[in-house]
Amino acid sequence: MAGALCFAYTALSLRIHEHLLSHSFDLGIFVQVVQSYADGNLPVSEVKGPDFPVLGDHFSPVLALLAPLYRLWPSAELLLVAQAALVAASVLPLAFWARRTLGSAAAVVIGTCYGVSWGIASGVGYDFHEWAFAVPLLAFSLTALGSGRLRAAAYWALPLVLVKEDLGLTVAAIGLVIAWRGGRGGRRLGFVTAAAGLAATALAVLVLAASHPGGFDGYFASHNPGGGAGRSGGGLIGFLHQVTLGLITPQEKVTTLILILAPTLFLALRSPLLLIALPTVMWRLASDYPAHWGTGYHYALPIMPIVFAAFIDALHRRRASGHSLGRYLAGSAAVTLLLLPHFPLWQLVQPATWRTDPRSAVARSVMAEIPDGATVQASNNLGPHLAGRTSVSVYGWRDSRPDPEWIMVDTKVVPNHRWPMSVEQELVALDIARFRGYRTVAERDGFVLLSRTEQQDATRPRPGQLPGAAE
């Protein structure tokens, strides 16, 4: 099962990337981060800004584990394959636990429903993210916790603090559940684990604040690359709104909560393991960044193993067996199948996924004109293909390095991948670039490649400075 899921995740990710549908935000960023580690340097990302210190954006030193592999295979594809393997590995502890407590049939159904659940599908279908490392750690930790192996649960949980700064709160939640379920013997272990998680988050936030050019203000603003103020207003009133009524408004948040629990027929609510998902769920719903509220992107990745571990625990605590267990499993499978066509894994059965896109070959031939090590501004969907061998940033984004040696633009990019400029803004920006001394090196099938031929006048407007270009 894990091998089949790994193959499916890999195929989906690589086909999306091959079709030029991956993104500089986030795949291009992570390629540059891993490349920095592979070169023996602290991580920086040109996509985020000139020499941008990534540890000032998110504290994810676990990515250094990919550096040795990256030296052997320096490409964006390595990150996608690694993510597929990490996420697929998380099915093993959950399925084995289900087999021990509920039987082989339950293990097959629950493992499959988890592996193709919408949260997993959304994560593997959208670039690479550091949370891929958290998924197996959470699955092993919660399986151990549900099986009464408290020390193993704590040991599997502690490395989460190296995955992302907010996961220290998840470690703290695991510690509190250990203290709750472990009785007198587990109380000390649980409280120590919780304290370690809280301390790690506090230290990580201090590192973020110290290494980010804008301090705390810049750190929080960096979560929204499109800019813009929060929707709930500032001050105490805004905060109170976010942590009360703002947790369930707008309607999209309620829909997401329902979809998180629906594959378990809401039985996950009967397990205390579900409390471990609260930190991640709460910060998502309290955020003023709309992408955090929905079911797209990768934000449900660390929630899915918690929800399905709670599902197994709830079934075990209810001593479900025979016909009652069969009904629960059939319901879970039915909900999973109903949701499947609405999320990225469904692309694997679409003929268009497996057709060769002739534009991909054209894009690669045009990109071959750019020498290694050059500074480049490129369309968002082209950045990941250049990140491994050039210093690439996003064309038209306000924080991109100005006056690059090369500009490459995909003028025919599909509308939902067009960012940060509209078609009209992009055309104006290209005309300005030519006026400022860039010459057209290639223009084929919608791909435009410009090269700088002379020293540019810094006083003239730059593409990223066009009115509204980054809005």
Side-chain angles (χ1 to χ4, degrees):
M1 187 187 300
L5 288 170
C6 182
F7 179 82
Y9 301 156
T10 301
L12 175 66
S13 297
L14 293 182
R15 291 309 292 172
I16 290 173
H17 184 61
E18 174 73 17
H19 283 245
L20 306 179
L21 296 176
S22 53
H23 309 77
S24 294
F25 280 83
D26 294 310
L27 182 56
I29 292 172
F30 286 112
V31 170
Q32 292 174 338
V33 168
V34 175
Q35 186 177 47
S36 297
Y37 282 124
D39 292 339
N41 302 317
L42 288 176
V44 296
S45 173
E46 189 77 1
V47 171
K48 293 288 292 183
D51 300 318
F52 186 95
V54 176
L55 288 178
D57 187 44
H58 290 300
F59 186 73
S60 305
V62 71
L63 293 171
L65 294 177
L66 294 177
L69 296 174
Y70 189 86
R71 291 184 69 88
L72 298 175
W73 184 16
S75 70
E77 287 83 352
L78 166 70
L79 276 65
L80 298 175
V81 173
Q83 175 172 262
L86 288 165
V87 175
S90 68
V91 78
L92 294 172
L94 294 171
F96 280 128
W97 182 26
R99 189 176 71 174
R100 288 194 305 270
T101 57
L102 303 171
S104 296
V108 171
V109 174
I110 292 174
T112 302
C113 289
Y114 166 74
V116 301
S117 62
W118 67 265
I120 298 294
S122 293
V124 299
Y126 186 78
D127 294 353
F128 168 91
H129 300 90
E130 68 276 88
W131 271 336
F133 285 92
V135 176
L137 290 172
L138 283 166
F140 277 104
S141 178
L142 270 66
T143 296
L145 179 54
S147 302
R149 295 179 288 116
L150 305 183
R151 194 171 297 275
Y155 288 161
W156 280 111
L158 288 172
L160 288 168
V161 301
L162 302 177
V163 177
K164 205 170 183 182
E165 64 279 357
D166 63 287
L167 287 176
L169 301 178
T170 301
V171 174
I174 291 174
L176 293 177
V177 175
I178 289 174
W180 178 14
R181 297 190 69 169
R184 181 176 298 178
R187 201 163 293 151
R188 180 179 178 183
L189 174 65
F191 288 141
V192 169
T193 302
L198 292 174
T201 289
L203 288 173
V205 170
L206 290 175
V207 170
L208 296 173
S211 57
H212 194 287
F216 278 107
D217 291 339
Y219 166 66
F220 288 113
S222 72
H223 282 69
N224 186 352
R231 300 189 176 196
S232 57
L236 180 61
I237 299 299
F239 174 76
L240 291 175
H241 172 81
Q242 282 183 286
V243 299
T244 53
L245 187 61
L247 295 176
I248 56 173
T249 55
Q251 176 66 35
E252 184 180 11
K253 296 180 180 181
V254 177
T255 301
T256 298
L257 286 173
I258 291 172
L259 290 180
I260 286 173
L261 296 169
T264 72
L265 305 182
F266 296 88
L267 280 178
L269 290 168
R270 295 178 176 266
S271 169
L273 295 183
L274 190 64
L275 295 172
I276 295 167
L278 276 180
T280 300
V281 172
M282 290 288 287
W283 76 251
R284 282 188 61 187
L285 298 183
S287 169
D288 61 359
Y289 182 32
H292 291 155
W293 309 336
T295 56
Y297 306 106
H298 56 289
Y299 299 111
L301 259 182
I303 298 175
M304 288 296 108
I306 302 173
V307 169
F308 275 86
F311 184 37
I312 298 170
D313 186 52
L315 290 174
H316 177 54
R317 290 158 66 91
R318 290 173 65 90
R319 302 187 183 277
S321 61
H323 292 299
S324 63
L325 178 60
R327 288 196 298 271
Y328 292 134
L329 297 177
S332 177
V335 172
T336 301
L337 289 175
L338 285 172
L339 294 175
L340 189 59
H342 302 283
F343 294 94
L345 281 174
W346 191 250
Q347 295 179 34
L348 292 174
V349 298
Q350 303 301 310
T353 302
W354 304 103
R355 295 194 191 107
T356 300
D357 184 358
R359 294 192 74 238
S360 298
V362 175
R364 283 169 174 74
S365 68
V366 174
M367 282 188 277
E369 301 278 346
I370 303 173
D372 293 350
T375 59
V376 185
Q377 280 194 23
S379 295
N380 184 39
N381 63 318
L382 301 178
H385 299 268
L386 291 163
R389 65 179 187 86
T390 69
S391 180
V392 68
S393 54
V394 178
Y395 184 60
W397 193 45
R398 62 178 182 271
D399 291 336
S400 292
R401 185 182 295 275
D403 302 327
E405 297 170 307
W406 297 80
I407 294 172
M408 184 171 175
V409 178
D410 181 0
T411 62
K412 292 184 178 180
V413 66
V414 293
N416 60 338
H417 282 70
R418 174 171 288 282
W419 178 86
M421 292 192 290
S422 67
V423 175
E424 294 77 13
Q425 291 170 339
E426 191 172 81
L427 291 174
V428 172
L430 289 173
D431 287 341
I432 291 176
R434 292 185 179 100
F435 175 74
R436 297 179 61 241
Y438 285 88
R439 65 181 178 88
T440 302
V441 176
E443 189 167 358
R444 298 198 296 273
D445 202 7
F447 297 104
V448 177
L449 179 64
L450 305 180
S451 174
R452 189 176 62 195
T453 57
E454 61 185 49
Q455 185 67 30
Q456 298 176 41
D457 182 2
T459 63
R460 290 174 180 163
R462 295 169 182 164
Q465 295 175 328
L466 290 172
E471 293 180 359

